[in-house]
Amino acid sequence: MASVPSLASSLHQRIADALSAALPEAGAADPLLRRSDRADFQANGMLALAKKLGGNPRELAGKVVEGLPAGDLIKDVEVSGPGFLNITITDEAITKTLAARAADERLGAPLAERPGTTVIDWAQPNVAKEMHVGHLRNSVIGDSVVRLLEFTGEKVISRHHIGDWGTQFGMLIQYLIEHPHELDHKAGGEVSGEEAMSNLNRLYKASRTLFDADEEFKARARRRVVNLQAGDEETLALWQRFVDESKIYFYSVFDKLDVEIRDEDIVGESGYNDMLAETCRMLEESGVAVRSEGALCVFFDDVKGPDGNPVPLIVQKSDGGFGYAATDLSAIRDRVFNLKADTLVYVVDVRQSLHFKMVFETARRAGWLTDDVKAVQLGFGTVLGKDGKPFKTREGETVRLVDLLDEAVDRAAAIVREKAQDLDEEEIAERAAQVGIGAVKYADLSTSAARDYKFDLDQMVSLNGDTSVYLQYAFARIQSILRKAGEAAPVAHPELALAPAERALGLHLDQFAATVAEAAGEYAPHKLAGYLYQLASLYTTFYDQCPVLKAEEEAQVENRLFLCDLTARTLRQGMGLMGIRTPERL
Ligand code: ARG
């Protein structure tokens, strides 16, 4: 569908034209248009321009005003202060633009003309390990960024770089060989995610204990690693059982989290095994990596340890083993040359920033990343407890993600039940999941990813304040008005004068497409969250000040219903891009 230019961009264009007519030597100067409290918009560009070209800014501003076309967009424009323009838009232009948005399924948001291909690395738990709060972030942020990018028309390929390789598998597999029924499922029965994880946990602990206590087992476990790496079939088959069992668990958690993961996108560390030796050979032959004390290393002038000695990126250890870096470098080759990515995004904890800095730089030196390929780590901060320290249980253990999600859903159930008038138990459970999980996602997405945030369930499920529950209630309230409207339908009436709260809501609704574009372009879901929160607040003010179904004239009822409907659609679209559900009733 057609994209709808926003009022801000139409206005920007007109002022820019008037500005270059008034001052041809300025070329294509930016009028610096902003939303403003005094009028609808303020243009500040004349100040800097007059300063630069040595003129009087008020005079220049006056000329620009004269040059503005009379028309249906601008209602009023005045020069104020040292040379600002205060601009008021006509009510008619606001309603007409919103009507054009409402006529489009995408609310007037454009699709990229020449979309690129982004490979995004997100939701990467580790085999045979519990998922913890860190995996909340790489899942929730990743999911939202995928949705945002896809919405702009980008081709997006997900890669879940799960930790499914490493020496610990020698120990696990050897233990399973010696205790062959530890991962068996009850005859014919399917095992739940919880059971799968508890089996894996039990096995992990038992094998670790044996490994630490029994030298002979340790030796057998080490030989098992060698077999695994050599591709011994029996060993690989057992390894696969750990992966499969873990996937049962992962999927159950993703399901609870309401995040969709596709099996073909799970390409874990093991998926690059065949490339590792070649990656190292290429790096060594090109001189990008050098042998140092037997290890294959890449050095950087600006990466030094506390002792001042350079800290290299180790691509192959002195015992011949390949590590995390070799895998990531191989993954870059795969993503650039096979998947044809022009952008690589990694949704990974900021604590891995140095790793990615070195990996990207190495790939550039090797020529695998060129000027045509952008690589970014979307690094996220730590989830903190109420005490401001990294989130731990009272016993000092890492918090299991499932426990946290269950608790959020329980809290939400209490709220839904309190508010529910006509909901049965099944509906309460469904709403509670949508509210509880939405709350957790929103809290994660509403601060900029790089920052740490406190995991505070009381705050997250609060009905007032910057929470998803507040947004969900605004949405549900609108749905209830629309249901009650009976015969009256949402219809835009551009001829009607707008009340201040209607104008404020309308001008904000018009910014949706631009906000989504910005959030997608900067991988910044928090910008969308901030926009939606403001939208819900402006709607609340509108709702308090402007009677909808009891408005005086029929045309006004219809126009207000139209604003309600567009607000609801904008909320649903926007929250959908954050992976948050919008129940019709709450
Ligand atoms: N599995 C890792 C972890 O849990 C994250 C993997 C990140 N992705 C990557 N390509 N290195 O910390």
Side-chain angles (χ1 to χ4, degrees), residues 4 15-17 85 146 286 298 304 324 333 366 416 443 497:
V4 178
I15 301 176
D17 290 347
L85 295 185
V146 168
S286 62
V298 183
K304 296 202 170 77
Y324 197 49
R333 290 173 53 213
V416 172

Side-chain angles (χ1 to χ4, degrees), residues 359-431:
V359 164
F360 294 162
E361 173 64 24
T362 301
R364 295 222 175 266
R365 290 183 194 170
W368 302 331
L369 285 178
T370 61
D371 288 348
D372 298 333
V373 187
K374 184 167 101 177
V376 269
Q377 182 197 0
L378 175 49
F380 54 80
T382 306
V383 180
L384 307 173
K386 278 192 194 171
D387 56 2
K389 301 208 184 95
F391 201 29
K392 293 272 154 66
T393 63
R394 241 172 274 149
E395 293 73 36
E397 286 174 38
T398 47
V399 180
R400 299 184 339 139
L401 181 52
V402 260
D403 292 343
L404 219 113
L405 298 179
D406 286 343
E407 201 184 333
V409 174
D410 283 350
R411 296 278 192 105
I415 293 171
V416 172
R417 181 161 291 141
E418 196 189 301
K419 286 251 169 184
Q421 291 137 356
D422 50 355
L423 298 181
D424 60 38
E425 280 305 308
E426 198 182 313
E427 286 169 316
I428 290 178
E430 190 191 320
R431 303 292 140 80

Side-chain angles (χ1 to χ4, degrees), residues 38-39 65 76-80 84-88:
R38 296 228 210 121
V65 171
D76 189 37
V77 50
E78 56 166 40
V79 178
S80 97
F84 305 126
L85 295 185
N86 284 335
I87 306 135
T88 307

